[in-house]
Amino acid sequence: MRAVMVTAKGDPSVLDARSIDAPEISGDNQVLVKIAAAGVNPIDTKVRAGNLFGAELPFIPGCDACGTVVETGTAVKNVKPGDMVWYCHGGLGLAQGNYAEYNVLEEWQLARKPASIDEIQAAASPLVLITAWESLFTQARLQAGETVLIHAGAGGVGHVAIQLAKWRGARVITTVSSAEKAAMARELGADETIDYRNENLAERLSELTGGKGADVVYDTVGPAVFQESIPLTAHYGRLVTLINPVGIDWTEARIRNLAVHFTLMLAPWVRNLREHWLRQSDILRQCGELFDSGGLEVRVQATLPLEQAAEAHRIIEEGHTSGKLVLTI
């Protein structure tokens, strides 16, 4: 099969397209999937650049995908050959990723693709959906009527987080870097947008919240934004981040009695936490229902063929993408 592999730690040039043997079913509960498209996520670039989990090289990256079931083990009950499925599994070097023509998964690791979206949207969605859901609902426990500030609202996770927060009944404020991204965020349901390049974020948020700050602040960017977010969070509020916030001055967070939460949706894979893996599968099922009811969409900025995976990584590392990138296979 065709596959793109990480051959060494380094820049996107270490990604190599090659032909390798296709995986085969080895267990009764396994499913062989012919992959149609694979999502590209920032974690893919980090795994490539740093081999974060000490994987044996070379390995196939790519955490989420959509494809067609072509073969099942004898104990598989919920899918059959010909079914379209989507999933988030692999890509860290601990199990095969999805920059490839085929993958083998356990039945419980995948779900039927929502009928209302195509294979490109389905491939783009699982990782960002699960990440945003766990951040806002599992960790920050966002409630209807609360105000949430979502950083980078036009990004892959951010634009999904806007929609989920609105579905929950929250007031959504988001940061953007251009008028075009502000328009996109408003289309997706944001109540207010703040252009951090042209507006003073702290002053504008204070104006919008009557000086209180946001009940929940969601950092999807990094340590500098995390530090900036502490005084933007209401006293006794919740601050949740996707990034390891190194070098932080915690004084103001302590004075505000903030609850600080971390989200690494990959944790069940890294620590083999089956109960949490199954919960993530249920999150994907609920998001599928939202797609089919018209309450959710995932924006795809661009698609590229599998062999241009390195270019996709370069685009992500440049920053400021709007929506997701997808590899077609």
Side-chain angles (χ1 to χ4, degrees), residues 1-7 16-23 58-61 96-97 99-103 306:
M1 70 174 180
R2 290 180 299 141
V4 168
M5 307 193 79
V6 176
T7 59
D16 180 49
R18 58 178 65 175
S19 179
I20 63 172
D21 292 337
F59 65 87
I60 300 171
Q96 184 197 307
Y99 290 10
E101 287 188 278
Y102 293 92
N103 203 349
L306 175 65

Side-chain angles (χ1 to χ4, degrees), residues 154-237:
V157 173
H159 87 287
V160 169
I162 289 172
Q163 297 172 76
L164 291 177
K166 287 302 295 182
W167 171 70
R168 180 53 59 94
R171 180 192 183 202
V172 177
I173 303 170
T174 189
T175 63
V176 294
S177 60
S178 68
E180 293 77 14
K181 291 182 178 180
M184 171 183 169
R186 287 193 295 269
E187 288 174 7
L188 294 171
D191 297 289
E192 304 284 352
T193 61
I194 302 175
D195 185 339
Y196 64 86
R197 290 184 172 178
N198 298 304
E199 298 179 87
N200 183 296
L201 173 56
E203 290 180 0
R204 180 63 176 145
L205 183 69
S206 179
E207 177 185 326
L208 291 172
T209 62
K212 174 187 174 184
D215 301 297
V216 172
V217 177
Y218 187 20
D219 164 37
T220 65
V221 182
V225 171
F226 182 91
Q227 183 74 74
E228 184 181 17
S229 296
I230 291 173
L232 303 178
T233 311
H235 289 79
Y236 292 87

Side-chain angles (χ1 to χ4, degrees), residues 55-117:
E56 182 178 346
L57 296 164
F59 65 87
I60 300 171
C63 295
D64 44 14
C66 175
T68 304
V69 174
V70 293
E71 184 183 351
T72 64
T74 56
V76 172
K77 298 179 180 179
N78 296 317
V79 295
K80 63 183 184 305
D83 287 344
M84 292 288 291
V85 294
W86 62 336
Y87 58 89
C88 191
H89 177 68
L92 308 181
L94 308 177
Q96 184 197 307
N98 299 293
Y99 290 10
E101 287 188 278
Y102 293 92
N103 203 349
V104 169
L105 302 98
E106 300 295 323
E107 179 183 14
W108 56 267
Q109 292 169 336
L110 48 79
R112 290 177 182 269
K113 180 186 74 66
S116 59
I117 60 175

